C-alpha cells in the first residue's frame, strides 16, 4: 500500500511538471506509467512471496476454469501457448534484428535486441529469486519443470510483441491502421496469458505479473529509444 501511495504521488508530481512545461507530455506519461507499474509489480511480488493479498484469487480462478475445459478449446490454447513460448518469441526477435541490421536501422536493432534479452534475464532472475511452485501436476495439460512466477510466456510475448508493435505504429501514418495493429497485438498478448491459465501451468498472479512486468520493461525500452531518437532542438550548436 505504501508503494502504491508513493507511485500516485510520483504520478501527481509528474503531472505538475508537465503542466509547468518542465517535461513534455510524452515523457510525463512514460514516467507515470513506469511509476505505477513499478509499484504494482512490487506489491504483487510481495503478495506472492507472503502468500496473501492478490494471491487469494489464484485457487478460486483455477477451480472455476478447470471444469470448463473442452477438447477444441484445449487445442486452441496449446496452439496459442506455443506461439507465445520462449523459442518462438526469441526467433521473432532474432528475425526482426536481422531485418533491421540488413536495412541498417541500428536504433531499431538495438531496441529489439535489448528488450528481448532483458526480458529473458528478468524472467530467469525472478523465477530463481521467488521460487514459486506451479499449480498441482494433476491440473496441468502440458509439462513444465521450472518455477511459476512470473509467466515467461506472458512476459516474453508482451515485450517482444510490444516493442515491435510500437515500431510499426510509429512508422504508420493512418490512425486506423495504428489502432488495428495495436489492438491485434494486445489481443494476442492477452490470449497468451489466458492460455497459460487454461492449461493449468500458472496461477493468475503469475500471468498478471507477466503482463505488468512486460509492459513496464517495454515502456522503459521504448521511452529510451524515443529519447535517443529525438532530434536536436533548432539552433543547438553542433560539435566540430
Amino acid at each position: 500500500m505504501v508503494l502504491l501511495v508513493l507511485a500516485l504521488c510520483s504520478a501527481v508530481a509528474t503531472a505538475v511538471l508537465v503542466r509547468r512545461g518542465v517535461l513534455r507530455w510524452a515523457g510525463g506519461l512514460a514516467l507515470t506509467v513506469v511509476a505505477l507499474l513499478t509499484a504494482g509489480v512490487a506489491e504483487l511480488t510481495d503478495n506472492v512471496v507472503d502468500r496473501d493479498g492478490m494471491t487469494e484469487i489464484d485457487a478460486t480462478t483455477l477451480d472455476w476454469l478447470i471444469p470448463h475445459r473442452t477438447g477444441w478449446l484445449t487445442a486452441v490454447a496449446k496452439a496459442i501457448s506455443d506461439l507465445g513460448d520462449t523459442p518462438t518469441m526469441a526467433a521473432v526477435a532474432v528475425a526482426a534484428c536481422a531485418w533491421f541490421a540488413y536495412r541498417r536501422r541500428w536504433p531499431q536493432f538495438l531496441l529489439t535486441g535489448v528488450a528481448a534479452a532483458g526480458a529473458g534475464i528478468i524472467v530467469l532472475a525472478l523465477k530463481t529469486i521467488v521460487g514459486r511452485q506451479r499449480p498441482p501436476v494433476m491440473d496441468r495439460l502440458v509439462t513444465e519443470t521450472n518455477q511459476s512466477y512470473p509467466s515467461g510466456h506472458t512476459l516474453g510475448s508482451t515485450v517482444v510483441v510490444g516493442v515491435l508493435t510500437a515500431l510499426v505504429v510509429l512508422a504508420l501514418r493512418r490512425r486506423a491502421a495504428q489502432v488495428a495493429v495495436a489492438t491485434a497485438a494486445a489481443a494476442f498478448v492477452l490470449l497468451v496469458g489466458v492460455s497459460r491459465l487454461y492449461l493449468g501451468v500458472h496461477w493468475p498472479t503469475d500471468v498478471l505479473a507477466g503482463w505488468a512486468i512486460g509492459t513496464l520493461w517495454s515502456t522503459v525500452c521504448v521511452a529510451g529509444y524515443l529519447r535517443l531518437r529525438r532530434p536536436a532542438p533548432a539552433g543547438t550548436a553542433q560539435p566540430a
Side-chain angles (χ1 to χ4, degrees):
M1 182 61 70
V2 174
L3 289 172
L4 290 176
V5 171
L6 290 175
L8 289 174
C9 291
S10 176
V12 172
T14 301
V16 172
L17 291 175
V18 172
R19 181 71 175 176
R20 291 178 176 272
V22 178
L23 287 175
R24 293 189 177 184
W25 70 268
L29 178 61
L31 285 176
T32 301
V33 170
V34 168
L36 293 176
L37 285 175
T38 300
V41 168
E43 185 72 17
L44 182 56
T45 304
D46 180 70
N47 290 166
V48 169
V49 172
D50 293 340
R51 300 181 182 179
D52 59 11
M54 289 193 66
T55 59
E56 295 177 0
I57 69 173
D58 286 338
T60 303
T61 302
L62 287 185
D63 288 343
W64 178 89
L65 189 60
I66 290 172
H68 290 81
R69 289 169 172 169
T70 60
W72 70 271
L73 270 178
T74 298
V76 171
K78 288 181 177 180
I80 294 173
S81 178
D82 289 342
L83 288 174
D85 66 10
T86 299
T88 303
M89 288 295 102
V92 170
V94 169
C97 286
W99 171 253
F100 292 139
Y102 173 75
R103 301 285 294 181
R104 298 184 183 276
R105 296 179 178 176
W106 303 117
Q108 292 89 337
F109 172 90
L110 185 62
L111 168 63
T112 305
V114 169
I121 294 172
I122 291 169
V123 169
L124 180 61
L126 284 178
K127 282 183 179 291
T128 302
I129 293 171
V130 177
R132 190 184 200 187
Q133 296 298 312
R134 292 181 183 269
V137 175
M138 63 181 180
D139 294 332
R140 306 179 200 172
L141 296 181
V142 293
T143 301
E144 295 288 355
T145 57
N146 59 359
Q147 295 83 4
S148 188
Y149 183 91
S151 168
H153 283 60
T154 308
L155 195 157
S157 61
T158 299
V159 172
V160 174
V161 174
V163 295
L164 292 179
T165 299
L167 290 175
V168 172
V169 168
L170 289 170
L172 295 173
R173 292 293 178 264
R174 295 182 59 186
R175 181 61 59 86
Q178 293 175 335
V179 172
V181 170
T183 301
F188 174 75
V189 170
L190 177 65
L191 289 174
V192 169
V194 173
S195 74
R196 301 303 283 169
L197 292 179
Y198 180 93
L199 295 174
V201 291
H202 278 294
W203 303 104
T205 44
D206 299 334
V207 174
L208 289 175
W211 284 327
I213 298 170
T215 302
L216 172 59
W217 178 236
S218 299
T219 301
V220 170
C221 291
V222 174
Y225 166 80
L226 293 176
R227 176 66 180 175
L228 292 175
R229 294 286 291 172
R230 181 187 300 174
T236 301
Q238 297 295 325

